[in-house]
Amino acid sequence: MKRPLSVFFLTSEVLPVVKTGGLADVSAALPAALSEEFGDEIDIRIGTVGFKGVERLPGFRLLKTFITRTPAGAMTIRILEGRLSKGNVPVYAVDPEGMFNREELYGENGTEYPDNLERFSAWNHALLHLPAVVGFFPDILHANDWQTALSIPLLPHVIRPSLAVTPMKTLLSIHNLAFQGVYPLDQWHLTGLPSSYNRFDGLEYHGRLSLLKGGIQFADCITTVSPSYREEVLSEPGGFGLSGALRHRRESFYGLLNGIDAHEWNPETDQYLPIQFSRAKIGKKSALQKKLRQEWGLNSRAPKPLFGVVSRMTHQKGAGLLAEAIYSMGLEDDLREDWVILGSGDPSLEDLWERIQRIFPGRIRVKTGYDEPLAHRIIAASDFLVIPSVYEPCGLTQMYAMRYGTIPLVNPTGGLRDTVESEKTGFWFEELTIAGIKKGLKKARALYHDQEGFDSMRQRAMAVESSWKNRTREYENLYRTLLSSPHGTNTVP
Ligand code: ADP
């Protein structure tokens, strides 16, 4: 047996505590898969937020309370301990004086909470104190996105190296470069970092401070969630202003493809489905679709394909462009397919979709809001799942779709390019324009009416292996490489 290694996995989102997007899925599935695959060789534990209602989650209980200094003053920190729903991975939900006891995690009605730097910084400080409080001495601090990036430069200032058993190595995983945690410099004091970090090779970013940049500068190594996205962010516009910082760290920057939680997203056992099915019994998928159509008032007489969308309604996800493409198809030929759309996000895009629904009654049904069971049902019951993202670091829904025999139609960017094989397990839009989307939709429509071709593409899609099980080895290798490598420059001199 290899020497056991221990990892403290920091994330602002993890199921079942709180989810706003794919980060929550990955933060649950990757540690669970690592623990399942490597057993006692990896002791991985999750540090997350003490979000509203966490104490009422099954299995969560108050573990400890401690007082610590944060940039916002001395605070009482509660640690609630629970487990991931699958496996035995400990989850520490850290609550700095109710700062995360709010309706939402980051903001409401499209506006960020004004005290986000104060909240996330206090929480990062508390997370760094947690190992000593609970008696856990990790080898590696694995931070995710801007929300926990601050922990990396903070580490040597909060945990004095002489006190640590061995100094921790640090890894930053970037799930989306567009979100960077950028704040005005006059809030610098809230980070708790010495002002020597306020420079271009520190956290300074065009006259502001960027938490994500701080993580990129000082982490021992960096990952992002697909090989193609790694390439895209090394130049602009993909790097959202940070391509230079990433190029500087190029040698320690890896693109590791995300996987899916194969227990949570399994058509044979999915608890959210009234009818379950398998590759061998794909016929049952039609019964599931029939039920969904009936419930949603989509009672087509002639056989028609059902297109699904499950997505944040944002510019990134191509939500506006898709609505326009459907509108244009509808004007041309009165829509020869049905649509079920689930999404939430930008209020103006939500409005646009509501309007499209009113223009094509009985053909398009839109539900705005967040609904996990419905997401499963739409992905399972649709014939096609449409994902016209402008950019997509990895994307999960295309992998879920394939597992359920639902053909993904994607813009081949980032992880969508790496996971969907054009004409084999899905379709790539030739270009991300109204015309390009329409062309792709028409191809899908034609495939639907070619029973043999449709069946074989579904079979191929369902055979694609995208579970985390096969992808944990890369993380394990990276953790081990990190352990055996010397420390980088993780402080400003
Ligand atoms: P991102 O993280 O950029 O939003 P991903 O494809 O990586 O995109 O992950 C999105 C996750 O969020 C998937 O699990 C998807 O099913 C889920 N999801 C997106 N919108 C909704 C919604 N309105 N209701 C329920 N689940 C949703």
Side-chain angles (χ1 to χ4, degrees), residues 15 19-26 175-176 179 258 265 310-313 316-317 342-344 367-376 379 387 392-398 400:
L15 281 171
K19 167 168 172 174
T20 75
L23 175 63
D25 300 35
V26 173
H175 300 258
N176 192 334
F179 305 110
N258 274 344
W265 292 89
V310 175
S311 170
R312 288 186 285 118
M313 281 191 184
Q316 181 207 330
K317 300 290 180 180
L342 169 65
S344 63
K367 179 161 179 206
T368 50
Y370 186 85
D371 189 332
E372 187 78 21
L374 189 57
H376 283 245
I379 290 175
I387 313 173
E392 193 60 77
C394 182
L396 295 171
T397 53
Q398 79 280 11
Y400 299 153

Side-chain angles (χ1 to χ4, degrees), residues 13-34:
E13 299 185 29
V14 63
L15 281 171
V17 179
V18 55
K19 167 168 172 174
T20 75
L23 175 63
D25 300 35
V26 173
S27 300
L30 170 59
L34 280 164

Side-chain angles (χ1 to χ4, degrees), residues 71-84:
M75 280 195 182
T76 305
I77 313 288
R78 289 190 316 148
I79 306 174
L80 294 112
E81 187 190 24
R83 292 273 184 280
L84 288 179

